[in-house]
Amino acid sequence: MTPKPAPAPASASAPGTMFDHIIIGNSAAGIGGIEGIRSRDKNGSICVISDEPYHTYSRTLIGEYLSGHKDFKDLMFRPMDFYERKNVTVMLATKVTAIDAGKKAVTLTDGTALTYGNLLLATGGKPFVPPMKGGNKQGVLNFIAQGDAEQIASRLPAVKRVVVIGGGLIGVDVTWALVRKGIKVSVVELKGRCLNLILDKTASDIFEARMREEGVEIHVNTTVKEVKGRPGDDTKVAGVILSDDTFIPCDIVVVAIGVVPRGELAQAAGIKFDKGISIDDHMKTSAPDVYAAGDCVEMYDFAYEVIRTMPVWPNAFMGGRIAGINMAGGDATFPTTTAMNSMNYFDIDVVSGGVVNFVGNMDPKAFEVLSTVNAKDRRYRMLTLKGDRIVGMTFMGEISEAGIVYGLMKDGIDVSKVKGALLDPTFSFAHMAKDTRKVTQKGERPAGMGPPGPSSASAAGAGGARR
Amino acid sequence: MTLSLAGTGRDWTDTGGSHVKRIYALEEFCIGCRLCEVHCIVAHSRSKDLVKAFKEENPRPLARIKVMECRPVTFALQCRFCEEPLCVQACLTGAMHMNEETGMVEWDEAKCVGCRTCVIYCPYGAIRPEKSQAKGRIISKCDMCAETGLPACVAACPNGALYYGEEKPEVEL
């Protein structure tokens, strides 16, 4: 697919329309991009374009906003003077309508064309909303951005009961916020249990028990087939009908199934896109001088050994930062990663990442699972090993040592000699061989953390931390 | 520059180095007594008094240094003040940040929501989940005793197993 021909930008040479670096997106990956660029290039012009109207904020905190525990100013990811200090031109509430990768230009809604030296696509994700009868009624909402949280918050005075479709991270996030507002929530999950992508059954069971303790109603193995309108006003929500014809009355419905990459701009510009925008280990896309990072990209997951989207904040920020360094003429490689989550919903600390379930055609016999559980105290520790290496982990309740274990997992450290101690609450570097202990005394962990990607020779060569 | 380490009579020559000073653990000398943890708690208590910190302050601050132990190996570890800190890059709120002037990794309690993301991204296990009465979930990590200039753990170590300087000294036994 070749880039579509577009008219030459009318004012390409007008002042303020040429930038060394243009970044589309103002969240984790975009801010990582700014900081990456400025770590090497103090003077190059940077323009950030966002279709949201806000100063950069952390989307991970919108639940705290909805629950009333935080104001919007508490959600701000960087100080008010951040853009000035970094000398960045910011265009908020502004949409990019097209990218011309050949002419190295982007077009805005009002027709303005801006040219770039380098472009970073940090366009993020959008809510996945399946077609659903009655799904277009007022009060059928999403929950991924501040605008969504504000919409829900503005309706709350008239809301007593909410149906949340999707029992994953987003669904649990909005449920916990609403529960703390005293609202009755029913969660509808298509699979057999909540958080089924990021927790195993043992951990999900403990978590669901805690949700029910707070009055949450959980419906699993089912979905909403229709949103019913009110008798007097069909545009407003009266409740939902599940696949087994159960009716749940509610005032609003939150569709929280997940996010999918926002890749329309990239695809229309002929940039390679599969599950997300395709990138190499320098965060470069298939188009010259166009980089991408964050929820809009697909990356290699070293734990599941597949290329997939891994829409978590740290991956987005770190990917954006690597892209920024390279845009400013550096040579930085993104270490392979996996989706690591830290959750504190319902007052339980849970960290989880890598292989925690055997999905698709994975052979459970190729793995070894170590675990210890105390369901009463909601404590659980589970490790998935493949050969001599950790490839998955869940810590629930007590998570202090999780960083050490995740470090060993990312670095692909041989843990065969300490297998018996991995579940011990006192497990630490003191259990590891002297060479591994030495790492703790360096000022800097060696570069190139993480095992090599599927075909990335440079990543393999940089694996200095691996022994 | 020659540093005299409290209580040991053992002198280390600071060999100079690149940037920020760090605290280095010399496991050859660590006896696993955990006095570093005790004095870290005192240094970050409200009273700065050992007995009051342990007997009266509730909640007592967590030690920001941790003795790792698997006998015969013991050594104490705290924030490594990385040049490319993963805790800062992973932070969801901007609470964990690098001071652009000093290169120190600092943490802003007011911005922290205690999400624990830094805890899992620190490969040293040097950030501890904590709860405060006022704020609920937070974290704690070494601040190198910024107020006094000499880390309390280093000053308290009875056997010179903690060294404060720009590079780790070579140890010959």
Side-chain angles (χ1 to χ4, degrees):
Chain A
M1 192 172 160
T2 48
K4 283 184 197 148
S11 53
S13 58
T17 60
M18 295 172 68
F19 293 92
D20 296 314
H21 311 283
I22 290 181
I23 300 174
I24 308 176
N26 187 28
S27 192
I31 300 302
I34 294 174
E35 294 184 357
I37 293 168
R38 283 289 178 251
S39 70
R40 291 182 58 92
D41 174 0
K42 305 288 180 212
N43 303 314
S45 55
I46 303 178
C47 176
V48 171
I49 307 167
S50 169
D51 60 2
E52 286 186 277
Y54 314 102
H55 190 285
T56 186
Y57 69 96
S58 182
R59 286 190 172 182
T60 62
L61 302 181
I62 60 173
E64 295 294 298
Y65 173 87
L66 180 58
S67 70
H69 288 74
K70 297 272 175 204
D71 295 329
F72 180 70
K73 66 172 168 41
D74 301 323
L75 271 52
M76 284 180 36
F77 184 51
R78 288 292 182 265
M80 268 314 279
D81 62 353
F82 173 77
Y83 303 113
E84 288 145 50
R85 280 218 322 260
K86 298 289 178 189
N87 192 17
V88 174
T89 303
V90 196
M91 298 184 181
L92 299 178
T94 303
K95 243 194 158 106
V96 174
T97 55
I99 299 166
D100 185 332
K103 293 203 169 65
K104 296 179 73 173
V106 302
T107 310
L108 308 181
T109 323
D110 65 3
T112 312
L114 307 175
T115 60
Y116 58 82
N118 297 286
L119 177 67
L120 173 58
L121 301 173
T123 47
K126 61 187 174 191
F128 175 66
V129 183
M132 187 168 44
K133 197 174 167 195
N136 58 351
K137 293 189 200 314
Q138 292 171 30
V140 179
L141 304 166
N142 302 120
F143 194 64
I144 71 160
Q146 175 64 11
D148 301 325
E150 286 176 6
Q151 281 221 35
I152 299 174
S154 70
R155 287 163 202 261
L156 281 192
V159 168
K160 287 199 171 57
R161 199 161 170 182
V162 175
V163 166
V164 172
I165 306 178
L169 207 51
I170 303 171
V172 169
D173 187 6
V174 69
T175 299
W176 177 227
L178 293 168
V179 162
R180 286 182 290 168
K181 289 298 249 182
I183 288 162
K184 172 81 182 169
V185 182
S186 301
V187 176
V188 180
E189 167 57 46
L190 184 63
K191 302 268 177 64
R193 54 190 171 83
C194 287
L195 298 170
N196 57 69
L197 287 177
I198 57 172
L199 296 180
D200 67 359
K201 181 154 185 343
T202 308
S204 277
D205 286 349
I206 296 172
F207 203 89
E208 285 185 342
R210 174 76 188 103
M211 289 170 76
R212 291 196 182 94
E213 208 176 85
E214 291 284 346
V216 178
E217 201 175 84
I218 303 170
H219 301 260
V220 296
N221 294 314
T222 186
T223 189
V224 169
K225 68 175 184 189
E226 184 180 350
V227 180
K228 287 295 266 188
R230 292 180 195 169
D233 184 356
D234 193 52
T235 63
K236 297 209 169 106
V237 174
V240 302
I241 301 174
L242 304 185
S243 4
D244 65 357
D245 292 326
T246 309
F247 178 74
I248 309 174
C250 64
D251 308 298
I252 57 176
V253 176
V254 181
V255 184
I257 297 172
V259 295
V260 289
R262 279 177 84 182
E264 300 86 348
L265 279 174
Q267 284 174 292
I271 292 168
K272 191 163 174 263
F273 182 102
D274 187 10
K275 297 185 184 90
I277 299 171
S278 304
I279 48 167
D280 67 8
D281 61 2
H282 282 58
M283 313 307 287
K284 282 187 92 145
T285 70
S286 63
D289 305 315
V290 180
Y291 296 74
D295 293 5
C296 62
V297 303
E298 56 176 24
M299 288 192 286
Y300 181 69
D301 180 335
F302 72 80
Y304 278 103
E305 299 179 30
V306 292
I307 292 175
R308 64 180 186 123
T309 59
M310 287 178 273
V312 295
W313 186 272
N315 282 346
F317 184 89
M318 292 175 187
R321 191 174 159 276
I322 295 291
I325 292 170
N326 292 327
M327 288 161 75
D331 179 17
T333 307
F334 189 80
T336 57
T337 188
T338 186
M340 192 75 198
N341 286 289
S342 172
M343 303 184 291
N344 324 99
Y345 309 119
F346 293 88
D347 284 326
I348 310 181
D349 282 346
V350 189
V351 305
S352 189
V355 177
V356 293
N357 290 302
F358 302 116
V359 294
N361 56 5
M362 288 170 81
D363 178 9
K365 287 197 288 291
F367 299 88
E368 180 181 358
V369 176
L370 310 173
S371 72
T372 170
V373 63
N374 175 345
K376 191 173 124 287
D377 296 336
R378 301 193 183 99
R379 281 170 187 266
Y380 181 48
R381 189 182 279 208
M382 186 280 286
L383 295 166
T384 310
L385 272 66
K386 189 175 187 187
D388 299 332
R389 291 174 180 188
I390 303 167
V391 295
M393 59 186 282
T394 300
F395 282 50
M396 183 182 256
E398 173 51 52
I399 60 137
S400 300
E401 319 307 328
I404 296 175
V405 173
Y406 184 41
L408 299 175
M409 172 165 138
K410 270 189 300 194
D411 285 1
I413 304 271
D414 181 344
V415 294
S416 56
K417 292 198 174 63
V418 293
K419 230 188 249 181
L422 285 171
L423 296 176
D424 187 329
T426 67
F427 176 76
S428 73
F429 274 105
H431 293 74
M432 300 299 294
K434 186 153 192 163
D435 274 358
T436 307
R437 296 205 299 276
K438 265 190 195 160
V439 172
T440 66
Q441 294 305 308
K442 290 185 180 143
E444 189 57 45
R445 204 158 167 93
M449 293 202 313
S455 60
S456 166
S458 62
R466 301 179 61 215
R467 278 159 296 270
Chain B
M1 183 177 128
T2 302
L3 292 179
S4 178
L5 295 183
T8 64
R10 193 180 284 128
D11 286 355
W12 297 117
T13 300
D14 187 340
T15 51
S18 53
H19 65 305
V20 296
K21 282 186 170 182
R22 293 197 174 84
I23 300 165
Y24 293 100
L26 308 169
E27 64 177 57
E28 295 84 350
F29 298 127
C30 179
I31 58 172
C33 66
R34 299 180 186 269
L35 274 175
C36 51
E37 294 182 1
V38 169
H39 285 274
C40 179
I41 289 169
V42 175
H44 296 95
S45 67
R46 288 189 298 282
S47 63
K48 315 286 181 204
D49 178 275
L50 190 146
V51 177
K52 282 184 188 152
F54 276 76
K55 296 292 265 186
E56 292 171 12
E57 290 189 24
N58 187 23
R60 186 197 302 159
L62 286 183
R64 299 164 183 208
I65 183 168
K66 167 122 178 143
V67 174
M68 301 198 162
E69 179 173 340
C70 179
R71 295 288 175 174
V73 175
T74 64
F75 63 98
L77 199 66
Q78 66 298 85
C79 175
R80 305 318 298 151
F81 292 90
C82 301
E83 285 165 44
E84 299 265 316
L86 293 176
C87 58
V88 171
Q89 294 177 24
C91 180
L92 306 187
T93 67
M96 196 67 80
H97 61 278
M98 187 181 255
N99 183 315
E100 288 177 14
E101 277 165 31
T102 62
M104 298 282 281
V105 178
E106 296 174 353
W107 166 76
D108 179 356
E109 178 170 342
K111 288 287 289 175
C112 181
V113 295
C115 69
R116 318 303 197 210
T117 305
C118 55
V119 175
I120 45 172
Y121 275 85
C122 174
Y124 305 110
I127 303 176
R128 322 290 302 170
E130 189 168 0
K131 275 189 179 170
S132 92
Q133 255 165 351
K135 275 222 50 179
R137 281 188 158 73
I138 51 167
I139 57 92
S140 70
K141 90 166 194 66
C142 174
D143 60 356
M144 219 85 106
C145 288
E147 286 175 30
T148 65
L150 179 65
C153 54
V154 176
C157 181
N159 198 35
L162 288 168
Y163 169 82
Y164 180 50
E166 293 186 352
E167 270 180 24
K168 187 179 183 182
E170 290 300 316
V171 176
E172 283 180 37
L173 291 176

